[in-house]
Amino acid sequence: MSPAAQNQINFPCRKLSVRRKMDFDHDLASPTKSPRKETSDVVNEAEQSVRLTRSSSRRAQTPTPSIPHAVRLSPRKVHRNLFKNTVASSPAKEAPLSLMTKICSPKKAAVRGNEENHKGGALLNSPVKLKLHHPNVTSFAKARQALHTTTPSTIFCRDKELAVIENFMRPLIDERKPGSMYISGRPGTGKTACVTHILSNKTFSGKFELIFVNCMLLRTPASIFQHIAQQLDAKWNASAKEALPFLEDRLTETGPMIVLVLDEIDQMSTRDQSVLYAIFELPALKNSRLILIGLANALDLTDRALVRLQSRVNFKPVLLNFSPYSKQDIATILSQRIQEAVTEDVGNVIAPSALQYLRGKISSASGDLRKAIDIATILSQRIQEAVTEDVGNVIAPSALQYLGGKISSTSGDLRKAIDICRRAVELAETTAKKQLVLVPSNSESQNSGSVPTNKCVNIPLLCKMMASVESSAFCSANSDDMDDTPLQQKLIIVTLLVLVKMGKSKQVTLGKLHQSYSKVCSKYGVTAIDFDEFAHTCSLVESRGIVTLKKKGNTRLAPICLRLDEREVESTLKDKTLLSSILAQGSLFV
Ligand SMILES: Nc1ncnc2c1ncn2[C@@H]1O[C@H](COP(=O)(O)OP(=O)(O)O)[C@@H](O)[C@H]1O
Ligand SMILES: [Mg+2]
């Protein structure tokens, strides 16, 4: 069998019309070194290099024929399958490979192609020895890391909202005009992610200074003025009363535009709404250089609470509402985020400049530009197909749809979907690590076994995961049932309350919280969980809306703060004895 024909197996031209494909096959098989032959050489070389570059993908990991069988079949079946090919084949089975390529799916073609390789007799002379290895679980690890709830590198399914925010900000920044916008939407609809994304990824021709405040972290609504004053001038250190006049002066001085993002602005609601009014009036001052963006969950905060703003055109903020994600949105976002992490970008596998070079080379060799473009397109498509398959190796598409449906019909909070998905991936990863798969003993990497495809995250595994989170995430609306809070969670919440009460700041780092929590555990004779499990349990507490946990590269430095006050913690935990006992001895644990 000629090398050209073998290469043909791994390079099905699915997207071409049959007529064109036949021409193409013929060209590649042509023995003379015509320009067309040269073309096929270039393609083969290119494909070879693509395979080498994508060493982490499943396709790239299966250069030997037995792996696809080995990972799915019992050792006996693997053995039987490997040797059945040594039996003389019928003429039909020996049909030209190019023909097979036309009638098979790429997967089947690859398998058959691999079988064909065995027909050369190599297998008869040196039977492949199989060894048990731990499967390669890097895709799970990458997916798990990608499923975080901090600002993602790419925003999906929010093109319209991103455009509205950008179109609001761009003319104001570029033309130095003040203004305000109020963005509302239920938790986990991507409000913060979208605003942060625009401000950190878009370039504006006008200069601006950014101040981002999470109002949840303020001690009192009125402290917002001091907080902003300190951001504008690090040396500023006056009383709260002087803060607002100072801001009014500073914001009307000459200087770059100031973009002030107030996240969770509804936390600044007071009985007379004086703080919110004062804030929204700042952009309307003469010569103001303030662009204010307020984010909140309440749809009608400005209509209901800030009625006065509505009647004054200058003060009226532009409104934008984020509707909840649909089932399909949630599935798409999760899938895209996993895809970004587990697969290299097509551009990483083959650089656009390389494709360009390839086109040039082919068109100069064959004089046929159309063919050059076709080949470059096929290469991209082939890589794209592999990329899509990689997501399916981590989580089944049906499982993504199922999770999307569940979340969109309950809270619609994408954070919960991400959290459940991440934990399901973690569980699948732990299970996969314990398994052994058969791989050829001559395989270079000790870790070259792929995880069997039926071991990825599927609906039963998701159900299991949701059931375990059920008492927390899904029943959080039913606060009457909350006294079954697991002991570890109770201890974390109470320790955090102690630290906040004894310390100066509303937030502490996860490392510090773990330290104090460990002291509480030893005092009460409870086994303390290790830091990793502790961090995981904190994210469970977060999914119940009791704390806010920010992600950081170094998890120990991640800030965590309470979203409830002491009274609310008490009613949530329904365990006054434990709470008052720990609080009474607070200083022991700090
Ligand atoms: N459209 C999106 N694409 C990718 N990830 C998203 C998207 N929307 C939300 N997320 C993820 O969900 C997390 C929570 O979203 P966030 O913007 O904080 O919601 P909100 O501010 O509306 O409560 C984000 O940090 C991000 O990781
Ligand atoms: Mg937010």
Side-chain angles (χ1 to χ4, degrees), residues 11-309:
F11 194 49
C13 310
R14 251 196 339 172
K15 310 275 166 165
L16 288 183
S17 72
V18 171
R19 177 69 225 140
R20 247 203 279 160
K21 272 190 287 178
M22 287 178 82
D23 282 346
F24 186 44
D25 295 337
H26 174 77
D27 295 344
L28 294 179
S30 167
T32 53
K33 189 94 178 169
S34 65
R36 284 185 171 185
K37 176 75 176 80
E38 259 191 66
T39 305
S40 74
D41 288 345
V42 174
V43 174
N44 292 334
E45 261 172 41
E47 206 204 359
Q48 194 64 37
S49 74
V50 166
R51 268 189 248 136
L52 288 174
T53 326
R54 280 188 51 76
S55 58
S56 63
S57 86
R58 199 162 62 81
R59 273 161 204 262
Q61 283 172 355
T62 53
T64 49
S66 47
I67 292 175
H69 301 278
V71 294
R72 283 188 210 120
L73 303 177
S74 68
R76 196 181 283 175
K77 280 183 189 160
V78 171
H79 199 258
R80 204 172 56 209
N81 280 7
L82 285 173
F83 285 93
K84 79 174 177 207
N85 296 320
T86 56
V87 178
S89 41
S90 69
K93 281 186 188 158
E94 287 181 352
L97 291 174
S98 54
L99 192 62
M100 274 192 202
T101 311
K102 280 167 207 152
I103 54 174
C104 297
S105 71
K107 242 187 207 163
K108 282 185 191 156
V111 172
R112 285 201 199 172
N114 288 328
E115 285 170 356
E116 285 294 326
N117 288 340
H118 289 275
K119 287 179 189 169
L123 190 63
L124 245 192
N125 298 333
S126 60
V128 176
K129 284 189 187 147
L130 299 171
K131 263 192 176 178
L132 284 167
H133 278 306
H134 284 288
N136 185 348
V137 291
T138 46
S139 290
F140 283 112
K142 285 183 185 173
R144 181 168 43 79
Q145 282 157 13
L147 293 169
H148 57 78
T149 46
T150 50
T151 308
S153 48
T154 318
I155 302 281
F156 305 99
C157 305
R158 281 294 185 210
D159 294 349
K160 203 183 89 214
E161 289 78 2
L162 285 171
V164 172
I165 300 170
E166 190 181 348
N167 292 340
F168 161 77
M169 270 195 245
R170 189 167 291 288
L172 298 187
I173 295 176
D174 294 351
E175 295 162 32
R176 298 187 48 78
K177 285 185 194 157
S180 61
M181 180 175 227
Y182 174 71
I183 302 178
S184 60
R186 287 166 67 174
T189 47
K191 303 179 295 294
T192 309
C194 285
V195 171
T196 317
H197 181 83
I198 299 247
L199 288 166
S200 45
N201 290 285
K202 299 285 173 190
T203 44
F204 297 89
S205 59
K207 269 194 183 166
F208 71 92
E209 203 176 300
L210 172 67
I211 300 178
F212 189 102
V213 184
N214 185 342
C215 301
M216 195 109 76
L217 303 179
L218 297 170
R219 282 194 159 265
T220 60
S223 62
I224 182 71
F225 303 118
Q226 275 171 298
H227 190 86
I228 303 170
Q230 272 154 6
Q231 300 282 315
L232 282 174
D233 182 351
K235 289 185 206 128
W236 188 85
N237 190 14
S239 70
K241 265 192 173 176
E242 292 164 71
L244 186 56
F246 171 81
L247 284 186
E248 288 170 350
D249 286 349
R250 278 305 277 269
L251 293 172
T252 48
E253 276 174 6
T254 49
M257 294 304 285
I258 307 239
V259 175
L260 172 63
V261 180
L262 298 180
D263 203 357
E264 315 284 357
I265 199 171
D266 32 8
Q267 299 292 315
M268 298 205 304
S269 266
T270 53
R271 193 175 295 174
D272 60 358
Q273 301 297 5
S274 55
V275 176
L276 281 174
Y277 273 122
I279 289 276
F280 275 95
E281 281 169 9
L282 289 173
L285 295 174
K286 194 165 178 268
N287 298 327
S288 177
R289 53 187 173 114
L290 180 67
I291 299 169
L292 172 69
I293 302 176
L295 311 177
N297 298 336
L299 174 65
D300 56 351
L301 182 75
T302 52
D303 293 352
R304 173 175 46 86
L306 304 174
V307 198
R308 252 163 44 206
L309 295 181

Side-chain angles (χ1 to χ4, degrees), residues 415-435:
R415 254 187 235 111
K416 280 185 186 154
I418 294 177
D419 195 41
I420 289 171
C421 195
R422 188 187 58 246
R423 276 188 248 165
V425 171
E426 266 167 24
L427 191 60
E429 184 185 1
T430 316
T431 316
K433 271 187 191 160
K434 289 182 195 152
Q435 288 185 325

Side-chain angles (χ1 to χ4, degrees), residues 343-464:
T343 60
E344 285 156 285
D345 191 0
V346 174
N348 287 344
V349 178
I350 182 160
S353 56
L355 275 180
Q356 192 71 27
Y357 169 79
L358 186 66
R359 275 184 209 151
K361 194 112 193 236
I362 296 168
S363 64
S364 63
S366 65
D368 185 348
L369 186 65
R370 256 180 317 158
K371 177 144 278 172
I373 292 171
D374 278 349
I375 291 166
T377 313
I378 295 163
L379 274 178
S380 297
Q381 277 168 357
R382 291 271 310 201
I383 297 163
Q384 197 61 57
E385 276 170 19
V387 159
T388 313
E389 244 184 56
D390 284 341
V391 179
N393 290 343
V394 174
I395 181 163
S398 56
L400 281 174
Q401 290 290 332
Y402 177 80
L403 181 58
K406 278 277 171 201
I407 299 291
S408 65
S409 65
T410 50
S411 63
D413 186 344
L414 188 67
R415 254 187 235 111
K416 280 185 186 154
I418 294 177
D419 195 41
I420 289 171
C421 195
R422 188 187 58 246
R423 276 188 248 165
V425 171
E426 266 167 24
L427 191 60
E429 184 185 1
T430 316
T431 316
K433 271 187 191 160
K434 289 182 195 152
Q435 288 185 325
L436 290 169
V437 291
L438 283 166
V439 291
S441 58
N442 59 355
S443 171
E444 275 170 24
S445 162
Q446 289 289 299
N447 210 13
S448 60
S450 324
V451 176
T453 42
N454 61 340
K455 293 290 179 267
C456 68
V457 176
N458 49 24
I459 295 180
L461 197 142
L462 271 183
C463 289
K464 199 172 155 188

